[in-house]
Amino acid sequence: MRYAARLDDNSKLVTHLIIIISLVFLFRQITDISQDTLSTTVMLFILVPVIVIAWCLSPRYYTITATTILIRRPLLSITIRLEDVVRLRSITEEDLGNSSRLLNIGGVFGYLGTYRSSEIGKYQRWCTNREDLVLIESDNQKWLISPAGADDFVRRVNQLINIPDQP
């Protein structure tokens, strides 16, 4: 079963804003006749790799197979074996408590990378929105994803790993 990874309004805004700013810097770089383009060159060397890396690592969709949950990305998709899943549930942003960023990209093509939460500890976040959150826990790792139709996603995976529906 395939579930979409839709960007929320905040991610769309941040992504579009960063791309527009990069295009403005690129246009200034190309059209600047004063040859004093060091500042725009530096900004382009920062912004362009951030955009490319964020796009490559952002989820395109999530797939449930008979044995795995796949987080499909343009580069380096993530495979989570169902036999390793200890717990899977829908959560809200408030359930995470205070989260701090460890190594991530927040907002550009989604919320991607490693975070630490006061409630659940260290986790990998591969979300495109902050509404349809699903927490997947194994013995040694946690993933937070955001499939469209999160409740259906949780129900289907729990059926596959033989966990009864939660009220």
Side-chain angles (χ1 to χ4, degrees):
M1 190 77 190
R2 182 174 162 161
Y3 294 84
R6 295 187 189 108
L7 289 175
D8 63 8
D9 290 339
N10 186 52
S11 285
K12 286 178 187 176
L13 177 68
V14 170
T15 301
H16 290 117
L17 190 61
I18 293 294
I19 290 171
I20 289 168
I21 289 170
S22 297
L23 290 173
V24 167
F25 283 133
L26 181 62
F27 180 75
R28 182 176 183 273
Q29 182 80 7
I30 292 169
T31 61
D32 191 1
I33 58 171
S34 69
Q35 304 302 320
D36 184 27
T37 59
L38 180 62
S39 61
T40 55
T41 302
V42 170
M43 290 305 293
L44 286 170
F45 271 108
I46 294 169
L47 290 174
V48 171
V50 166
I51 292 169
V52 171
I53 290 168
W55 181 81
C56 288
L57 296 179
S58 67
R60 297 289 129 221
Y61 58 90
Y62 308 94
T63 304
I64 302 170
T65 69
T67 58
T68 61
I69 298 169
L70 300 170
I71 303 171
R72 295 289 187 176
R73 306 182 302 179
L75 183 66
L76 303 172
S77 292
I78 298 171
T79 302
I80 303 167
R81 297 182 330 176
L82 289 178
E83 65 188 38
D84 295 338
V85 175
V86 175
R87 187 174 179 197
L88 182 128
R89 62 189 169 109
S90 292
I91 66 169
T92 64
E93 196 74 32
E94 291 78 32
D95 294 334
L96 296 173
N98 293 327
S99 284
S100 58
R101 299 174 178 193
L102 299 178
L103 180 61
N104 66 38
I105 299 172
V108 181
F109 292 105
Y111 310 93
L112 320 167
T114 304
Y115 291 74
R116 178 170 301 284
S117 164
S118 61
E119 297 297 320
I120 66 170
K122 186 177 174 182
Y123 65 97
Q124 295 288 315
R125 187 171 189 149
W126 303 108
C127 300
T128 54
N129 68 65
R130 296 177 291 173
E131 299 298 318
D132 301 319
L133 299 177
V134 173
L135 179 64
I136 304 167
E137 298 179 65
S138 72
D139 285 332
N140 59 357
Q141 196 164 2
K142 296 174 186 155
W143 300 269
L144 190 65
I145 63 174
S146 59
D151 293 334
D152 182 59
F153 183 93
V154 169
R155 187 175 47 44
R156 286 184 187 267
V157 173
N158 282 337
Q159 286 172 349
L160 287 171
I161 60 176
N162 298 320
I163 295 177
D165 287 338
Q166 303 289 327

